[in-house]
Amino acid sequence: RKEVEQDPGPFNVPEGATVAFNCTYSNSASQSFFWYRQDCRKEPKLLMSVYSSGNEDGRFTAQLNRASQYISLLIRDSKLSDSATYLCVVILNTGGFKTIFGAGTRLFVKA
Amino acid sequence: DAGITQSPRHKVTETGTPVTLRCHQTENHRYMYWYRQDPGHGLRLIHYSYGVKDTDKGEVSDGYSVSRSKTEDFLLTLESATSSQTSVYFCAISPHGDSYEQYFGPGTRLTVT
């Protein structure tokens, strides 16, 4: 089983739609969680950190469920510019530092 | 803009040759990282540094070495390149070590023939 798993998609949605991505992780000692977006042939860019209490940034909402070991990203009112690959990231720093990236979920937003 | 540059941006080299990739930052951040990205694998950590001359291995460190003699530069060396090291290499910095947020450079596309 992979340490971090994401549905690879692709998700094809119309503009204005709401879309949700989930990411599961296997190590309960995981400490920090993030969502990144990556455009084709570009570097990953930090989208948002994920906190247990949930956090929102404009149209984006991230949630962490430690009991079930998953994080989620909700995008409301999708824009064409949201088309990208979304990567979830889990950090462990117990007994050695580890950054674990999911393989990414591809999103296409269409007019 | 996290002020990170990588050089070269593209390189083609032959199997068995040494290759060094450079990551340069302008903000004097303490933490720096090297990743590789391959289809279907996501990014994988090769090595990281938590200060000048302080480095440690990531999950895919075999065949790679690093050096950090100045805060602003983190070098990744492939001592003898192999075709399995064909990949896109990203450097990252972490402005706040405690929060683990990382910001990435533009990447180096390396092809080993």
Side-chain angles (χ1 to χ4, degrees), chain B residues 14-46:
Chain B
E14 293 185 347
T15 297
T17 59
V19 177
T20 295
L21 309 183
R22 180 183 184 233
C23 178
H24 178 79
Q25 56 143 332
T26 59
E27 306 287 329
N28 286 326
H29 296 305
R30 182 179 168 195
Y31 294 85
M32 298 183 76
Y33 311 83
W34 275 109
Y35 291 88
R36 61 178 289 173
Q37 186 173 33
D38 305 289
H41 281 279
L43 280 86
R44 292 179 290 174
L45 183 63
I46 305 171

mmCIF file of all heavy atoms in Angstrom, chain B residues 14-46:
data_model
loop_
_atom_site.group_PDB
_atom_site.id
_atom_site.type_symbol
_atom_site.label_atom_id
_atom_site.label_comp_id
_atom_site.label_asym_id
_atom_site.label_seq_id
_atom_site.Cartn_x
_atom_site.Cartn_y
_atom_site.Cartn_z
ATOM 1 N N GLU B 14 25.574 11.477 -20.946
ATOM 2 C CA GLU B 14 25.716 10.056 -21.254
ATOM 3 C C GLU B 14 25.888 9.231 -19.978
ATOM 4 O O GLU B 14 26.405 9.724 -18.964
ATOM 5 C CB GLU B 14 26.928 9.850 -22.168
ATOM 6 C CG GLU B 14 26.746 10.448 -23.544
ATOM 7 C CD GLU B 14 27.901 10.131 -24.474
ATOM 8 O OE1 GLU B 14 28.946 9.652 -23.997
ATOM 9 O OE2 GLU B 14 27.754 10.388 -25.690
ATOM 10 N N THR B 15 25.466 8.002 -20.070
ATOM 11 C CA THR B 15 25.631 7.081 -18.940
ATOM 12 C C THR B 15 27.090 7.044 -18.506
ATOM 13 O O THR B 15 27.997 6.981 -19.343
ATOM 14 C CB THR B 15 25.180 5.667 -19.363
ATOM 15 O OG1 THR B 15 23.798 5.704 -19.692
ATOM 16 C CG2 THR B 15 25.394 4.670 -18.247
ATOM 17 N N GLY B 16 27.280 7.085 -17.178
ATOM 18 C CA GLY B 16 28.630 6.995 -16.630
ATOM 19 C C GLY B 16 29.316 8.319 -16.379
ATOM 20 O O GLY B 16 30.361 8.358 -15.726
ATOM 21 N N THR B 17 28.728 9.413 -16.866
ATOM 22 C CA THR B 17 29.364 10.719 -16.644
ATOM 23 C C THR B 17 28.858 11.326 -15.339
ATOM 24 O O THR B 17 27.726 11.085 -14.931
ATOM 25 C CB THR B 17 29.091 11.687 -17.799
ATOM 26 O OG1 THR B 17 27.668 11.865 -17.917
ATOM 27 C CG2 THR B 17 29.630 11.154 -19.097
ATOM 28 N N PRO B 18 29.687 12.135 -14.683
ATOM 29 C CA PRO B 18 29.224 12.836 -13.483
ATOM 30 C C PRO B 18 28.414 14.070 -13.880
ATOM 31 O O PRO B 18 28.680 14.699 -14.905
ATOM 32 C CB PRO B 18 30.536 13.232 -12.785
ATOM 33 C CG PRO B 18 31.534 13.313 -13.886
ATOM 34 C CD PRO B 18 31.119 12.341 -14.950
ATOM 35 N N VAL B 19 27.432 14.373 -13.071
ATOM 36 C CA VAL B 19 26.575 15.529 -13.324
ATOM 37 C C VAL B 19 26.330 16.257 -12.007
ATOM 38 O O VAL B 19 26.082 15.606 -10.984
ATOM 39 C CB VAL B 19 25.194 15.082 -13.887
ATOM 40 C CG1 VAL B 19 24.276 16.283 -14.076
ATOM 41 C CG2 VAL B 19 25.359 14.321 -15.184
ATOM 42 N N THR B 20 26.412 17.556 -12.032
ATOM 43 C CA THR B 20 26.085 18.353 -10.848
ATOM 44 C C THR B 20 25.004 19.359 -11.190
ATOM 45 O O THR B 20 25.112 20.101 -12.167
ATOM 46 C CB THR B 20 27.325 19.085 -10.308
ATOM 47 O OG1 THR B 20 28.277 18.119 -9.847
ATOM 48 C CG2 THR B 20 26.954 19.996 -9.134
ATOM 49 N N LEU B 21 23.968 19.354 -10.368
ATOM 50 C CA LEU B 21 22.874 20.313 -10.494
ATOM 51 C C LEU B 21 22.973 21.306 -9.345
ATOM 52 O O LEU B 21 23.295 20.928 -8.220
ATOM 53 C CB LEU B 21 21.522 19.584 -10.448
ATOM 54 C CG LEU B 21 21.336 18.394 -11.392
ATOM 55 C CD1 LEU B 21 19.914 17.847 -11.256
ATOM 56 C CD2 LEU B 21 21.643 18.769 -12.821
ATOM 57 N N ARG B 22 22.664 22.542 -9.666
ATOM 58 C CA ARG B 22 22.806 23.587 -8.653
ATOM 59 C C ARG B 22 21.457 24.194 -8.317
ATOM 60 O O ARG B 22 20.630 24.460 -9.195
ATOM 61 C CB ARG B 22 23.732 24.680 -9.156
ATOM 62 C CG ARG B 22 23.949 25.837 -8.168
ATOM 63 C CD ARG B 22 24.811 26.904 -8.793
ATOM 64 N NE ARG B 22 25.128 27.991 -7.882
ATOM 65 C CZ ARG B 22 24.916 29.275 -8.144
ATOM 66 N NH1 ARG B 22 24.402 29.630 -9.301
ATOM 67 N NH2 ARG B 22 25.248 30.208 -7.267
ATOM 68 N N CYS B 23 21.264 24.425 -7.040
ATOM 69 C CA CYS B 23 20.106 25.159 -6.548
ATOM 70 C C CYS B 23 20.620 26.368 -5.796
ATOM 71 O O CYS B 23 21.470 26.237 -4.907
ATOM 72 C CB CYS B 23 19.270 24.279 -5.623
ATOM 73 S SG CYS B 23 17.848 25.108 -4.909
ATOM 74 N N HIS B 24 20.090 27.525 -6.151
ATOM 75 C CA HIS B 24 20.540 28.763 -5.535
ATOM 76 C C HIS B 24 19.342 29.528 -4.999
ATOM 77 O O HIS B 24 18.330 29.692 -5.687
ATOM 78 C CB HIS B 24 21.273 29.613 -6.575
ATOM 79 C CG HIS B 24 21.732 30.929 -6.054
ATOM 80 N ND1 HIS B 24 22.861 31.077 -5.278
ATOM 81 C CD2 HIS B 24 21.208 32.173 -6.182
ATOM 82 C CE1 HIS B 24 23.017 32.349 -4.953
ATOM 83 N NE2 HIS B 24 22.029 33.032 -5.493
ATOM 84 N N GLN B 25 19.450 29.997 -3.754
ATOM 85 C CA GLN B 25 18.373 30.789 -3.167
ATOM 86 C C GLN B 25 18.936 32.128 -2.699
ATOM 87 O O GLN B 25 20.112 32.244 -2.357
ATOM 88 C CB GLN B 25 17.746 30.046 -1.983
ATOM 89 C CG GLN B 25 18.746 29.665 -0.901
ATOM 90 C CD GLN B 25 18.195 29.765 0.504
ATOM 91 O OE1 GLN B 25 17.298 30.565 0.780
ATOM 92 N NE2 GLN B 25 18.738 28.965 1.403
ATOM 93 N N THR B 26 18.070 33.116 -2.690
ATOM 94 C CA THR B 26 18.517 34.473 -2.366
ATOM 95 C C THR B 26 18.068 34.927 -0.986
ATOM 96 O O THR B 26 18.372 36.035 -0.572
ATOM 97 C CB THR B 26 17.990 35.469 -3.408
ATOM 98 O OG1 THR B 26 16.562 35.407 -3.428
ATOM 99 C CG2 THR B 26 18.541 35.151 -4.787
ATOM 100 N N GLU B 27 17.319 34.075 -0.265
ATOM 101 C CA GLU B 27 16.678 34.511 0.978
ATOM 102 C C GLU B 27 17.341 33.971 2.243
ATOM 103 O O GLU B 27 16.820 34.166 3.330
ATOM 104 C CB GLU B 27 15.199 34.077 0.970
ATOM 105 C CG GLU B 27 14.428 34.548 -0.250
ATOM 106 C CD GLU B 27 14.138 36.032 -0.216
ATOM 107 O OE1 GLU B 27 13.990 36.582 0.888
ATOM 108 O OE2 GLU B 27 14.059 36.631 -1.291
ATOM 109 N N ASN B 28 18.448 33.229 2.105
ATOM 110 C CA ASN B 28 19.157 32.679 3.278
ATOM 111 C C ASN B 28 18.301 31.758 4.142
ATOM 112 O O ASN B 28 18.440 31.739 5.384
ATOM 113 C CB ASN B 28 19.713 33.799 4.164
ATOM 114 C CG ASN B 28 20.918 34.458 3.539
ATOM 115 O OD1 ASN B 28 21.705 33.809 2.869
ATOM 116 N ND2 ASN B 28 21.039 35.748 3.739
ATOM 117 N N HIS B 29 17.439 30.990 3.506
ATOM 118 C CA HIS B 29 16.653 30.029 4.280
ATOM 119 C C HIS B 29 17.510 28.854 4.693
ATOM 120 O O HIS B 29 18.400 28.408 3.937
ATOM 121 C CB HIS B 29 15.453 29.545 3.461
ATOM 122 C CG HIS B 29 14.496 30.646 3.149
ATOM 123 N ND1 HIS B 29 13.926 31.437 4.117
ATOM 124 C CD2 HIS B 29 14.027 31.090 1.960
ATOM 125 C CE1 HIS B 29 13.127 32.325 3.556
ATOM 126 N NE2 HIS B 29 13.171 32.145 2.261
ATOM 127 N N ARG B 30 17.197 28.306 5.841
ATOM 128 C CA ARG B 30 18.031 27.244 6.403
ATOM 129 C C ARG B 30 17.822 25.901 5.705
ATOM 130 O O ARG B 30 18.761 25.144 5.497
ATOM 131 C CB ARG B 30 17.712 27.130 7.893
ATOM 132 C CG ARG B 30 18.530 26.108 8.623
ATOM 133 C CD ARG B 30 18.164 26.091 10.097
ATOM 134 N NE ARG B 30 18.739 24.936 10.759
ATOM 135 C CZ ARG B 30 18.371 24.498 11.939
ATOM 136 N NH1 ARG B 30 17.406 25.130 12.604
ATOM 137 N NH2 ARG B 30 18.954 23.442 12.479
ATOM 138 N N TYR B 31 16.555 25.582 5.411
ATOM 139 C CA TYR B 31 16.242 24.249 4.914
ATOM 140 C C TYR B 31 16.160 24.242 3.385
ATOM 141 O O TYR B 31 15.477 25.072 2.786
ATOM 142 C CB TYR B 31 14.905 23.761 5.480
ATOM 143 C CG TYR B 31 14.920 23.543 6.976
ATOM 144 C CD1 TYR B 31 14.681 24.598 7.851
ATOM 145 C CD2 TYR B 31 15.181 22.291 7.507
ATOM 146 C CE1 TYR B 31 14.706 24.407 9.218
ATOM 147 C CE2 TYR B 31 15.200 22.091 8.876
ATOM 148 C CZ TYR B 31 14.965 23.154 9.727
ATOM 149 O OH TYR B 31 14.996 22.961 11.082
ATOM 150 N N MET B 32 16.841 23.260 2.794
ATOM 151 C CA MET B 32 16.778 23.083 1.347
ATOM 152 C C MET B 32 16.635 21.597 1.034
ATOM 153 O O MET B 32 17.118 20.747 1.817
ATOM 154 C CB MET B 32 18.030 23.653 0.662
ATOM 155 C CG MET B 32 18.203 25.155 0.880
ATOM 156 S SD MET B 32 19.609 25.850 0.007
ATOM 157 C CE MET B 32 18.987 25.914 -1.677
ATOM 158 N N TYR B 33 16.006 21.300 -0.089
ATOM 159 C CA TYR B 33 15.658 19.915 -0.422
ATOM 160 C C TYR B 33 15.908 19.660 -1.915
ATOM 161 O O TYR B 33 15.752 20.563 -2.740
ATOM 162 C CB TYR B 33 14.170 19.650 -0.151
ATOM 163 C CG TYR B 33 13.679 20.105 1.205
ATOM 164 C CD1 TYR B 33 13.312 21.428 1.424
ATOM 165 C CD2 TYR B 33 13.554 19.205 2.254
ATOM 166 C CE1 TYR B 33 12.851 21.850 2.664
ATOM 167 C CE2 TYR B 33 13.088 19.610 3.495
ATOM 168 C CZ TYR B 33 12.749 20.939 3.693
ATOM 169 O OH TYR B 33 12.296 21.345 4.921
ATOM 170 N N TRP B 34 16.206 18.414 -2.220
ATOM 171 C CA TRP B 34 16.242 17.961 -3.615
ATOM 172 C C TRP B 34 15.252 16.819 -3.779
ATOM 173 O O TRP B 34 15.227 15.868 -2.988
ATOM 174 C CB TRP B 34 17.629 17.446 -4.005
ATOM 175 C CG TRP B 34 18.562 18.506 -4.438
ATOM 176 C CD1 TRP B 34 19.656 18.996 -3.770
ATOM 177 C CD2 TRP B 34 18.528 19.224 -5.682
ATOM 178 N NE1 TRP B 34 20.284 19.961 -4.502
ATOM 179 C CE2 TRP B 34 19.614 20.116 -5.689
ATOM 180 C CE3 TRP B 34 17.680 19.184 -6.801
ATOM 181 C CZ2 TRP B 34 19.869 20.977 -6.754
ATOM 182 C CZ3 TRP B 34 17.945 20.034 -7.845
ATOM 183 C CH2 TRP B 34 19.024 20.912 -7.827
ATOM 184 N N TYR B 35 14.415 16.935 -4.845
ATOM 185 C CA TYR B 35 13.433 15.917 -5.183
ATOM 186 C C TYR B 35 13.636 15.503 -6.633
ATOM 187 O O TYR B 35 14.148 16.267 -7.450
ATOM 188 C CB TYR B 35 12.004 16.469 -5.073
ATOM 189 C CG TYR B 35 11.543 16.773 -3.681
ATOM 190 C CD1 TYR B 35 11.772 18.018 -3.106
ATOM 191 C CD2 TYR B 35 10.835 15.823 -2.952
ATOM 192 C CE1 TYR B 35 11.325 18.299 -1.824
ATOM 193 C CE2 TYR B 35 10.376 16.104 -1.670
ATOM 194 C CZ TYR B 35 10.632 17.345 -1.120
ATOM 195 O OH TYR B 35 10.180 17.612 0.151
ATOM 196 N N ARG B 36 13.143 14.325 -6.938
ATOM 197 C CA ARG B 36 12.973 13.941 -8.321
ATOM 198 C C ARG B 36 11.505 13.616 -8.564
ATOM 199 O O ARG B 36 10.807 13.156 -7.641
ATOM 200 C CB ARG B 36 13.867 12.754 -8.702
ATOM 201 C CG ARG B 36 13.632 11.485 -7.949
ATOM 202 C CD ARG B 36 14.549 10.355 -8.457
ATOM 203 N NE ARG B 36 14.154 9.888 -9.775
ATOM 204 C CZ ARG B 36 14.859 9.013 -10.499
ATOM 205 N NH1 ARG B 36 15.993 8.520 -10.026
ATOM 206 N NH2 ARG B 36 14.440 8.638 -11.692
ATOM 207 N N GLN B 37 11.049 13.878 -9.785
ATOM 208 C CA GLN B 37 9.669 13.597 -10.130
ATOM 209 C C GLN B 37 9.623 12.729 -11.374
ATOM 210 O O GLN B 37 10.166 13.105 -12.416
ATOM 211 C CB GLN B 37 8.862 14.885 -10.367
ATOM 212 C CG GLN B 37 7.381 14.616 -10.593
ATOM 213 C CD GLN B 37 6.552 15.879 -10.660
ATOM 214 O OE1 GLN B 37 7.008 16.924 -11.128
ATOM 215 N NE2 GLN B 37 5.313 15.803 -10.189
ATOM 216 N N ASP B 38 8.959 11.599 -11.252
ATOM 217 C CA ASP B 38 8.816 10.653 -12.341
ATOM 218 C C ASP B 38 7.345 10.309 -12.487
ATOM 219 O O ASP B 38 6.604 10.288 -11.496
ATOM 220 C CB ASP B 38 9.619 9.377 -12.043
ATOM 221 C CG ASP B 38 11.074 9.662 -11.757
ATOM 222 O OD1 ASP B 38 11.787 10.016 -12.705
ATOM 223 O OD2 ASP B 38 11.496 9.566 -10.584
ATOM 224 N N PRO B 39 6.919 10.011 -13.706
ATOM 225 C CA PRO B 39 5.496 9.677 -13.927
ATOM 226 C C PRO B 39 5.043 8.540 -13.017
ATOM 227 O O PRO B 39 5.730 7.532 -12.879
ATOM 228 C CB PRO B 39 5.474 9.256 -15.399
ATOM 229 C CG PRO B 39 6.635 9.950 -16.011
ATOM 230 C CD PRO B 39 7.694 9.995 -14.948
ATOM 231 N N GLY B 40 3.897 8.729 -12.385
ATOM 232 C CA GLY B 40 3.318 7.691 -11.548
ATOM 233 C C GLY B 40 3.892 7.589 -10.149
ATOM 234 O O GLY B 40 3.403 6.798 -9.336
ATOM 235 N N HIS B 41 4.935 8.384 -9.843
ATOM 236 C CA HIS B 41 5.560 8.273 -8.522
ATOM 237 C C HIS B 41 5.356 9.481 -7.634
ATOM 238 O O HIS B 41 5.603 9.412 -6.452
ATOM 239 C CB HIS B 41 7.070 8.065 -8.669
ATOM 240 C CG HIS B 41 7.437 6.651 -9.010
ATOM 241 N ND1 HIS B 41 7.518 5.642 -8.073
ATOM 242 C CD2 HIS B 41 7.737 6.095 -10.196
ATOM 243 C CE1 HIS B 41 7.865 4.529 -8.674
ATOM 244 N NE2 HIS B 41 8.003 4.765 -9.959
ATOM 245 N N GLY B 42 4.941 10.581 -8.176
ATOM 246 C CA GLY B 42 4.948 11.777 -7.353
ATOM 247 C C GLY B 42 6.383 12.213 -7.115
ATOM 248 O O GLY B 42 7.330 11.610 -7.605
ATOM 249 N N LEU B 43 6.553 13.249 -6.337
ATOM 250 C CA LEU B 43 7.898 13.716 -6.018
ATOM 251 C C LEU B 43 8.476 12.854 -4.905
ATOM 252 O O LEU B 43 7.772 12.520 -3.945
ATOM 253 C CB LEU B 43 7.868 15.176 -5.554
ATOM 254 C CG LEU B 43 7.782 16.211 -6.667
ATOM 255 C CD1 LEU B 43 6.338 16.451 -7.052
ATOM 256 C CD2 LEU B 43 8.436 17.508 -6.229
ATOM 257 N N ARG B 44 9.749 12.541 -5.025
ATOM 258 C CA ARG B 44 10.425 11.747 -4.014
ATOM 259 C C ARG B 44 11.674 12.483 -3.531
ATOM 260 O O ARG B 44 12.457 12.983 -4.338
ATOM 261 C CB ARG B 44 10.793 10.361 -4.560
ATOM 262 C CG ARG B 44 9.587 9.489 -4.835
ATOM 263 C CD ARG B 44 9.977 8.136 -5.403
ATOM 264 N NE ARG B 44 10.484 8.253 -6.767
ATOM 265 C CZ ARG B 44 11.004 7.244 -7.449
ATOM 266 N NH1 ARG B 44 11.117 6.051 -6.891
ATOM 267 N NH2 ARG B 44 11.438 7.435 -8.687
ATOM 268 N N LEU B 45 11.838 12.502 -2.215
ATOM 269 C CA LEU B 45 12.928 13.250 -1.600
ATOM 270 C C LEU B 45 14.247 12.495 -1.759
ATOM 271 O O LEU B 45 14.348 11.309 -1.406
ATOM 272 C CB LEU B 45 12.617 13.468 -0.116
ATOM 273 C CG LEU B 45 13.614 14.289 0.683
ATOM 274 C CD1 LEU B 45 13.698 15.715 0.160
ATOM 275 C CD2 LEU B 45 13.229 14.272 2.158
ATOM 276 N N ILE B 46 15.260 13.197 -2.266
ATOM 277 C CA ILE B 46 16.570 12.585 -2.483
ATOM 278 C C ILE B 46 17.487 12.867 -1.278
ATOM 279 O O ILE B 46 18.021 11.960 -0.647
ATOM 280 C CB ILE B 46 17.219 13.129 -3.772
ATOM 281 C CG1 ILE B 46 16.294 12.935 -4.969
ATOM 282 C CG2 ILE B 46 18.561 12.431 -4.024
ATOM 283 C CD1 ILE B 46 16.780 13.635 -6.236
#
